[in-house]
Amino acid sequence: MYEFLQSYPRVLEFLHTDFFNTSTSRDILINMLFAMVASFGFSYPSNPPKRVLFGIIFIAGLGYFIRSLLLQISFFNLAGASFCASFCMGIVAFLIAKQVKVPTEVIVFPALLALFPGSYGYKSILSLLIFAKNTDKPEQLQHLLAFFNNLIIMFSVSILLVAGALVTFMIFYEQSFLMTRGSKRT
């Protein structure tokens, strides 16, 4: 793997691209479209009701858009913006779930999967591979620091994404029991 990456430096450059620092509206809309497609791909195999698929796609796009807007503010980092976006996604998912009479989890979790920072996971594994192959001590230290930096970002964003959605479940705890009332059982 290391030899492949050394022979193709453009692949290595692409893998180290920071996809979250998009400042143009064109990049945000393209990434939002990819998040919507990914949420459809994550939700379709679990066979949710067909009337819910559009809501899942909408919430994923909305969440990515909110996170991208919050990242433009210097106050927010990726983890904080992800928490706020997942909180908003949870509220909108609750409203949609109440209308279509399905549990909120059916809508919000497939939409959240599109926002997980997989690129940081790939970057951390890539840094670890380069660290193991390299013999130069200062360069090894650089790759080891990159490994831990990417790993910590990945874990903190992942935990805060789930926490943002769970906060809405705690706020609307009593209403969640009434969510599927009046729906027909299949």
Side-chain angles (χ1 to χ4, degrees):
M1 177 81 171
Y2 181 74
E3 289 82 18
F4 171 77
L5 292 174
Q6 292 301 321
S7 61
Y8 294 102
R10 301 276 299 168
V11 173
L12 191 61
E13 179 184 328
F14 177 74
L15 288 175
H16 282 291
T17 304
D18 194 4
F19 294 104
F20 298 108
N21 286 336
T22 55
S23 58
T24 65
S25 59
R26 179 181 167 271
D27 291 338
I28 291 173
L29 290 176
I30 289 172
N31 289 341
M32 191 172 86
L33 179 68
F34 283 132
M36 294 167 87
V37 170
S39 70
F40 176 77
F42 286 128
S43 64
Y44 194 76
S46 61
N47 200 17
K50 302 299 182 230
R51 64 186 188 272
V52 175
L53 283 175
F54 181 72
I56 294 170
I57 293 168
F58 171 74
I59 290 172
L62 177 72
Y64 191 87
F65 182 73
I66 290 171
R67 181 171 74 178
S68 297
L69 287 180
L70 291 176
L71 284 174
Q72 301 303 318
I73 302 170
S74 62
F75 178 73
F76 285 100
N77 61 1
L78 183 60
S82 297
F83 176 79
C84 293
S86 67
F87 179 74
C88 293
M89 290 169 71
I91 290 174
V92 174
F94 177 79
L95 296 173
I96 291 174
K98 195 168 187 165
Q99 292 294 319
V100 294
K101 298 193 183 310
V102 297
T104 309
E105 295 86 357
V106 172
I107 297 174
V108 76
F109 287 128
L112 277 177
L113 283 173
L115 298 181
F116 275 93
S119 64
Y120 284 102
Y122 291 126
K123 288 179 193 178
S124 65
I125 297 299
L126 191 62
S127 296
L128 190 62
L129 288 173
I130 295 172
F131 166 78
K133 270 297 202 190
N134 208 335
T135 58
D136 187 25
K137 295 295 180 191
E139 197 170 325
Q140 268 188 329
L141 182 61
Q142 178 186 359
H143 291 295
L144 188 63
L145 289 175
F147 167 73
F148 282 114
N149 183 36
N150 290 323
L151 195 68
I152 288 171
I153 290 172
M154 182 188 68
F155 279 134
S156 64
V157 171
S158 300
I159 289 170
L160 287 176
L161 272 173
V162 173
L166 291 179
V167 166
T168 59
F169 292 160
M170 287 188 283
I171 291 172
F172 299 116
Y173 180 73
E174 294 294 325
Q175 289 87 0
S176 66
F177 293 115
L178 305 173
M179 196 69 66
T180 57
R181 184 166 289 174
S183 66
K184 295 180 182 177
R185 295 199 175 179
T186 57

